[in-house]
Amino acid sequence: MKLTDYIKDFKYKSRWKYLLFRSVFRLLLRIKSFLNKISLSLYSNFKAEKTIEEKGISRVYPDSYFQKLNDSFKIVFCGDLLLLEDQVKRGFKNGKYDFNDVFEYTKSIIESADLSIGVLEGPSDQTSGFSTSNYGDGKALSINFPSAFPEAVKQSGFDLVSLANNHILDKGSHGLLETIDLLNKIGLNFIGAYKDQGDKEANRVKVLELQGIKFAVLAYTYCPEEFSEDELFTDHYYSTSFLVPKSSKYYKKCKDSVKSDFEYANSLNPDFIIVLPHCGTQFEKKPDLFQKDWFDTFDELGADIILGDHSHCVQPSYIKDGKFRLYSPGNFTNSFRKYDGDASGLFEIYIDKKSKRIIAADVIPMWICCKTGGNYAPIPTSVLYKSENHNNLYTYDSEKIDSILNTVTNSVFDKKIPVNKYNCRVFFDEKGYFRTPLANIIIYDEWRKNTFLSGINNADSICFIGDSITDGTRNGGVPWYEPISNVLPNRIFNISYGGTTSKLMIKKHIDEIKNTLADVFVIALGTNDIRYRNKRICAMTKEEFTQNISAVTDAIFVNNPNAGIIIIAPWESIDGDPFTPLKYSDVKSMMNDYSLFLSEFCKKKNYIFINPNPYIMDEIDKMPSNYYLEDHIHPNMYHGIQLYCEAVLRYKG
C-alpha cells in the first residue's frame, strides 16, 4: 500500500484518531513557533544588553598636534626589499634593468623622512645568476639582485639599509663581498654585513648624527637554514651578526656578543639605540617566542627603537615607556601574495627634537600589486581610495583593498579598529590608536537659514545628548556632528553612550545632564527604545518615550532655565537589524509613530524638532548600503557621517 493510500485509509476509518493526531501536531507547531519567538526575544535582548553603554574607542588630536609632528624628526622604516624571480624579469626593459617603478607611489614618503631605513634582503652579485623561484613553486630559492635594484633603493631616498638577513649568504662569501663593494660604490649606507672580523669589530655599531640627534644602530639576523650553526659560528661568523634560540649550544656565546655590542653602543652616548633584528615565523601575524625573547633582551640592554622584519606579514607595534617596538612591517615589495604577503605597512616614528623623546608613530597601509607590464610595487591604500582611482577599479579590487587595510591595521594594533580609509596614515602613541579630525563639509548659505544652524546661532556652548550615532561607538568615535565643528560653539559637551535608550539616559545620566551648563542642548534618542523592545530598558510606547524626553528636558532646565532645545527624531535603520525581534515593516511604522508624536510634543513645548531621516534613507537607497553605513544603522566615518550631518543641516522644519 502506498503511503498516500495509508493516510486516506487512516483518515476515514479512524477519524477520531486522525483528528487527535492533527490537533496534537498543530499544537506542537504552535509551541515551536512560540518558543522561537521567545528565543529571538531573549537573544535580541541579550545582544541589546551587551551593547549598552559602550563608548567610541578613538581619541582625536587637533591640527595643532599634527603641526608638532611635522616639526619632529621623522624616521621611516619598511620591511623586506626583496626581488623574487618574476620581479627580476619584470625589471628588464629595453635591454637593461630598471626598478624605479617599484618606488613610484612611496618615493615621496621615503624622501620626506629625516632618516629612511629599509632591509635589503639578499646579495647583489653581478657575477652570478639572479633570483630563482617565486617561493612555493617547487624551485630552489636563491636570492640575488641586479645592481639596478640597490641603485633604485638609493634613488628612492633610503639613507640606510640592513644586510643582516637569512639570504645575505645565498651567493656565498663572494656574493656578500660583491654586495658590500657595490653599496660603497653607489653611496648607499648599510649595516649588518662585514668583509672580515676586523671590519665587523669596527663597524658592528653604525653611528648617525642627524639634526643634533645621535643614533647608534645595530643589526642582527636569525641563522639561515642552508647552513649549520657550526658553519655559521666558525666559517661565517664575521659575515653578519647571528641570533639563535635558547635551545642552541651557541646561545650564551651569541648573547654575550650582543651584550658586548650594546656596551660599545652605550659607551658612545647616543640619544637612541636602534636595533634591526631579522627574525620571526613566516606568515605568522603574531610574534613567536624567538622574537619575544630577543626583543626583550634588546630592551633590557638599552634599545630605544626596535625595528624587526622577516615574517613577510604585518605584526604588532607599540610605544611603551618612551620606546618604540615593531615586530614586522611585512614586505616592502614581494610577488608572493598568499598568506597576506601583499599586505604591507610603511612605518613612521616621530621624535621631538628638543626633548629627544618618541612622541608618536604611524603606519601607512599598502597593497603590493602589479600593473600589466610593470613590476610589483607597494601602493598606499589611501591612494587607491581616491575617487579618480577607486572608480576605475573592479569590485574584486575594491574588496581586496578593504581587506588589505583591515589586515594591516588589525595586525599592528592586535585588534580590529575602525579607520578612515581616505586618510593615508593611522597614528598611535603610548596610549594607543588616535585619529585626525574629519575635514569640515562645505556649509552653503541657504543652510544657515535652516532649522539647526538658526537654532544654535547665538550660542556660546552646546551639549549633545544621544546614543551611538552621537557618540560614534561603531565608527571609531566619530559623532554625527564632527564635520561642522567649525561652525559650532567653542564649548562642546557630549553626553552620549552606544546602546543607550531614553529610559537608561534618565536612570544613569540624569545628574550629568543636570550639571552640564550649555546654551543649547541637542537630543537624539529613541532609536534603541524602538529596536530593542525590552521593557526593562526601553520606552515601549510613544507616550512613554515622549515622557522620558520631557524628563530629560526638565533636568536640563534645573541649571539652564533659558537653554534652547533641539530634538532630533529617532535615527532610522535599514532592514537586517540583528538587534530587534520586530519585522522591518513594524520598525519603520514605529519609527514614524514615535517621530510624529515627538514632533507634536515639540510644538507644544516650543522646542525645535528635526527629522533628517527622509533625506538620509532616500540617499542610502541610491547606493550600496556599505557606502554610507558600517552595519544596519551606524554611519561610517566618511560618507555616512557627512550624509547624516548634511541631512540635519538641510532640514527646514
Side-chain angles (χ1 to χ4, degrees):
M1 179 183 290
K2 293 181 179 180
L3 179 61
T4 53
D5 294 335
Y6 178 84
I7 293 172
K8 288 179 180 178
D9 184 63
F10 174 76
K11 181 176 179 180
Y12 291 106
K13 289 184 178 180
S14 305
R15 186 163 181 77
W16 70 270
K17 292 181 181 179
Y18 168 74
L19 292 173
L20 178 62
F21 171 78
R22 187 179 67 176
S23 298
V24 171
F25 182 72
R26 288 180 174 176
L27 178 61
L28 290 174
L29 287 178
R30 289 180 179 178
I31 292 173
K32 180 183 177 183
S33 177
F34 176 74
L35 290 175
N36 283 341
K37 289 182 179 179
I38 293 295
S39 175
L40 178 60
S41 178
L42 290 173
Y43 177 66
S44 63
N45 285 340
F46 169 75
K47 294 188 80 174
E49 291 286 344
K50 295 293 283 185
T51 63
I52 289 168
E53 304 299 87
E54 293 182 312
K55 294 292 288 180
I57 65 168
S58 74
R59 296 171 294 133
V60 184
Y61 277 81
D63 292 338
S64 58
Y65 183 85
F66 292 96
Q67 183 58 50
K68 183 178 181 181
L69 296 187
N70 289 333
D71 295 336
S72 301
F73 185 95
K74 183 171 69 174
I75 298 174
V76 163
F77 177 69
C78 78
D80 301 323
L81 293 154
L82 178 63
L83 297 182
L84 296 176
E85 182 179 8
D86 283 0
Q87 293 170 271
V88 172
K89 292 177 178 178
R90 284 177 175 273
F92 193 73
K93 304 165 186 175
N94 302 319
K96 63 178 182 179
Y97 285 103
D98 185 347
F99 298 98
N100 288 309
D101 59 347
V102 171
F103 307 95
E104 178 180 356
Y105 300 96
T106 52
K107 183 177 181 180
S108 61
I109 301 172
I110 297 165
E111 287 181 329
S112 71
D114 301 294
L115 173 60
S116 293
I117 305 173
V119 179
L120 191 63
E121 194 179 6
S124 189
D125 181 359
Q126 309 311 298
T127 66
S128 184
F130 298 126
S131 297
T132 59
S133 175
N134 292 296
Y135 190 80
D137 55 7
K139 297 180 181 180
L141 178 63
S142 177
I143 302 297
N144 192 31
F145 310 137
S147 59
F149 186 55
E151 289 170 0
V153 171
K154 167 70 175 176
Q155 291 169 13
S156 70
F158 280 99
D159 302 299
L160 176 71
V161 294
S162 172
L163 296 177
N165 64 79
N166 60 307
H167 287 290
I168 193 60
L169 291 172
D170 276 13
K171 296 300 177 181
S173 298
H174 180 269
L176 181 145
L177 295 175
E178 287 289 309
T179 305
I180 290 174
D181 288 342
L182 174 63
L183 297 193
N184 283 328
K185 179 181 177 180
I186 66 175
L188 179 56
N189 208 354
F190 66 91
I191 189 174
Y194 314 99
K195 291 185 174 182
D196 50 41
Q197 191 60 40
D199 183 25
K200 181 177 181 180
E201 187 66 27
N203 295 300
R204 70 189 192 277
V205 178
K206 177 73 64 175
V207 177
L208 304 171
E209 294 193 51
L210 302 165
Q211 299 182 32
I213 303 176
K214 187 175 183 179
F215 299 93
V217 187
L218 302 166
Y220 302 92
T221 180
Y222 82 98
C223 297
E225 295 85 350
E226 292 77 13
F227 299 87
S228 69
E229 287 186 352
D230 290 337
E231 289 178 291
L232 293 174
F233 279 84
T234 52
D235 300 339
H236 299 287
Y237 190 56
Y238 67 85
S239 300
T240 186
S241 297
F242 296 111
L243 301 175
V244 295
K246 286 184 176 180
S247 58
S248 170
K249 66 180 180 180
Y250 290 103
Y251 181 74
K252 185 179 184 304
K253 179 179 180 180
C254 184
K255 194 164 186 177
D256 288 344
S257 178
V258 171
K259 286 181 179 178
S260 175
D261 292 344
F262 271 87
E263 287 172 359
Y264 177 46
N266 279 303
S267 72
L268 301 173
N269 297 314
D271 298 301
F272 294 92
I273 294 179
I274 300 175
V275 185
L276 306 171
H278 187 86
C279 56
T281 303
Q282 292 188 131
F283 314 117
E284 178 60 51
K285 292 185 175 67
K286 294 183 183 295
D288 59 25
L289 292 176
F290 186 98
Q291 286 171 285
K292 291 179 179 179
D293 174 46
W294 279 110
F295 278 49
D296 288 345
T297 297
F298 299 145
D299 185 71
E300 292 167 4
L301 293 174
D304 301 290
I305 300 172
I306 306 176
L307 304 173
D309 78 295
H310 170 66
S311 67
H312 302 300
C313 63
V314 181
Q315 293 184 329
S317 179
Y318 58 86
I319 302 171
K320 184 179 180 181
D321 300 328
K323 298 182 177 183
F324 179 86
R325 179 178 292 197
L326 166 62
Y327 284 103
S328 177
N331 303 307
F332 181 81
T333 180
N334 185 358
S335 60
F336 189 75
R337 290 166 289 172
K338 292 183 180 179
Y339 313 115
D340 294 319
D342 54 356
S344 175
L346 193 58
F347 283 77
E348 297 177 312
I349 304 107
Y350 299 90
I351 298 172
D352 183 82
K353 294 178 183 178
K354 293 182 180 179
S355 64
K356 296 181 180 179
R357 287 187 57 82
I358 298 169
I359 55 176
D362 67 53
V363 57
I364 302 172
M366 303 188 296
W367 181 25
I368 304 171
C369 56
C370 184
K371 296 178 181 178
T372 302
N375 216 324
Y376 287 85
I379 306 178
T381 55
S382 59
V383 172
L384 296 165
Y385 280 119
K386 289 182 179 179
S387 58
E388 62 268 26
N389 297 324
H390 203 259
N391 291 340
N392 293 322
L393 296 174
Y394 289 101
T395 303
Y396 173 83
D397 294 324
S398 180
E399 292 172 350
K400 179 63 177 178
I401 298 165
D402 289 345
S403 174
I404 291 288
L405 179 61
N406 290 331
T407 295
V408 173
T409 54
N410 293 357
S411 298
V412 170
F413 300 104
D414 202 20
K415 62 182 178 181
K416 183 176 181 179
I417 64 164
V419 295
N420 185 345
K421 60 181 66 175
Y422 302 93
N423 196 343
C424 182
R425 293 163 171 82
V426 183
F427 293 90
F428 58 102
D429 58 13
E430 290 213 24
K431 296 180 180 178
Y433 157 77
F434 64 90
R435 66 177 178 86
T436 58
L438 295 188
N440 297 127
I441 65 174
I442 298 172
I443 307 293
Y444 296 102
D445 289 339
E446 59 265 30
W447 292 357
R448 297 182 185 276
K449 302 174 185 178
N450 293 347
T451 306
F452 183 79
L453 291 181
S454 296
I456 66 169
N457 189 39
N458 297 314
D460 293 323
S461 55
I462 188 169
C463 177
F464 293 91
I465 299 173
D467 48 38
S468 54
I469 294 175
T470 304
D471 173 63
T473 314
R474 286 288 179 268
N475 63 8
V478 185
W480 66 263
Y481 57 82
E482 186 168 305
I484 55 168
S485 297
N486 59 320
V487 295
L488 295 178
N490 291 327
R491 289 192 300 147
I492 301 175
F493 304 95
N494 189 318
I495 305 175
S496 302
Y497 301 87
T500 199
T501 63
S502 63
K503 184 176 285 188
L504 284 172
M505 187 60 71
I506 296 169
K507 181 179 179 181
K508 293 188 174 185
H509 307 292
I510 203 70
D511 288 337
E512 185 179 0
I513 293 170
K514 286 180 182 178
N515 296 328
T516 300
L517 302 179
D519 296 325
V520 175
F521 287 77
V522 181
I523 305 168
L525 289 168
T527 298
N528 296 326
D529 292 86
I530 295 168
R531 295 166 57 220
Y532 294 164
R533 308 315 293 156
N534 181 335
K535 64 182 180 181
R536 192 170 62 82
I537 61 172
C538 301
M540 300 300 286
T541 66
K542 58 190 177 183
E543 291 82 6
E544 183 185 3
F545 169 62
T546 306
Q547 289 173 7
N548 290 345
I549 296 298
S550 181
V552 170
T553 57
D554 288 345
I556 290 170
F557 291 136
V558 170
N559 291 313
N560 302 274
N562 298 315
I565 303 293
I566 299 175
I567 297 180
I568 296 176
W571 307 99
E572 286 193 23
S573 61
I574 63 173
D575 198 5
D577 183 351
F579 292 92
T580 183
L582 301 176
K583 294 179 181 179
Y584 182 55
S585 58
D586 293 336
V587 172
K588 292 278 288 184
S589 177
M590 197 172 292
M591 288 281 186
N592 186 58
D593 289 346
Y594 275 48
S595 296
L596 288 174
F597 205 76
L598 187 61
S599 175
E600 291 301 317
F601 166 77
C602 290
K603 286 181 182 178
K604 293 177 183 178
K605 294 288 187 176
N606 201 29
Y607 301 154
I608 293 174
F609 175 78
I610 294 175
N611 187 357
N613 292 310
Y615 181 81
I616 291 172
M617 301 310 291
D618 183 58
E619 293 300 309
I620 288 175
D621 285 344
K622 297 175 184 177
M623 297 290 289
S625 60
N626 62 3
Y627 183 79
Y628 289 115
L629 301 178
E630 290 286 342
D631 45 30
H632 48 277
I633 188 170
H634 299 96
N636 58 41
M637 67 162 57
Y638 191 73
H639 295 118
I641 286 295
Q642 287 195 333
L643 172 64
Y644 279 52
C645 191
E646 182 179 325
V648 171
L649 296 181
R650 282 177 172 271
Y651 189 81
K652 295 182 179 180

